[in-house]
Amino acid sequence: MLVFATRNEGKLVELRELLTGIEVIDVSEAGRRIDHVIPDTVEDAETFAGNAIKKAREVSAVTGWPALADDSGLEVDALGGGPGVYSARYSGQGTEGNKAKLLAALEGVEASQRTARFRCVLALADVHGPLGAETITADGTCEGSILEAPRGTGGFGYDPLFLLLSGETMAEMDHATKNTVSHRGL
Ligand code: IMP
């Protein structure tokens, strides 16, 4: 059994598709099983790896189980790599606000200058188990660009605005297909 250190339903659905054969529970379910409200990790690191390691270690320490954490986000070249680690909190108003702010920030920027990538770092910790002080990390990136208007109804977060080099947005593919090309799947 593995605790996925997230409350993001979109990430959870994708990870369960990737890790077939392993029971994956999220932080809320882990809290119910140990009868303890698990506090959210303060994501104050300046890198995806820093935040992922922090989340995995905190959740493993409090639950006693192995924990996997994902820290991920969108890097837009015209925005100097932003919103990056601030992707979830970009507008302070949730996913719809984030997408609106991104489109506004790129208004007037031509298609060739709208290049971007999703980046993901996964961290695995088992603080009270064999890994101890060690945390295993892996990272993946997925190149694409930002559309001027959303396309597709699948996925989560910035997916409807993220155009892959194949010509589809991440919101136009099912979870299994997204996992074959995405930063998280890689
Ligand atoms: P985190 O929970 O701090 O890692 O926040 C990651 C944020 O980046 C999410 O809330 C989304 O806004 C964005 N993000 C990460 N991965 C994806 C993805 O696969 N599709 C769309 N947005 C993503």
Side-chain angles (χ1 to χ4, degrees):
M1 201 260 296
L2 184 66
V3 183
F4 190 27
T6 190
R7 297 185 200 277
N8 182 319
E9 183 63 25
K11 289 183 183 179
L12 183 65
V13 168
E14 290 178 16
L15 197 86
R16 282 191 169 136
E17 288 235 13
L18 286 163
L19 298 182
T20 50
I22 301 175
E23 185 193 5
V24 178
I25 63 171
D26 69 359
V27 169
S28 304
E29 175 60 20
R32 282 191 288 277
R33 292 193 190 186
I34 61 170
D35 200 19
H36 176 80
V37 176
I38 300 172
D40 284 336
T41 298
V42 179
E43 295 185 34
D44 54 3
E46 284 174 15
T47 61
F48 294 114
N51 283 326
I53 291 168
K54 194 174 176 198
K55 282 189 268 191
R57 295 197 68 77
E58 283 188 13
V59 171
S60 179
V62 71
T63 61
W65 291 314
L68 185 73
D70 163 309
D71 202 60
S72 50
L74 184 64
E75 296 177 347
V76 181
D77 293 323
L79 303 178
V85 292
Y86 303 105
S87 294
R89 310 161 255 170
Y90 185 40
S91 66
Q93 292 174 341
T95 299
E96 292 309 314
N98 290 344
K99 289 186 290 185
K101 182 171 176 179
L102 179 63
L103 287 178
L106 293 178
E107 205 174 324
V109 177
E110 63 183 64
S112 66
Q113 303 302 308
R114 298 171 76 99
T115 49
R117 70 206 50 78
F118 274 124
R119 191 180 294 278
C120 170
V121 175
L122 289 171
L124 179 68
D126 190 8
V127 172
H128 303 294
L131 285 179
E134 191 188 345
T135 309
I136 298 171
T137 61
D139 61 275
T141 56
C142 179
E143 298 288 335
S145 61
I146 306 301
L147 286 174
E148 289 180 17
R151 255 175 45 192
T153 54
F156 70 96
Y158 297 93
D159 278 346
L161 293 176
F162 190 80
L163 186 70
L164 291 148
L165 303 177
S166 65
E168 282 174 297
T169 71
M170 275 196 173
E172 292 176 312
M173 22 180 80
D174 58 30
H175 301 305
T177 309
K178 179 179 169 184
N179 276 338
T180 64
V181 293
S182 79
H183 48 313
R184 188 163 301 105
L186 294 172

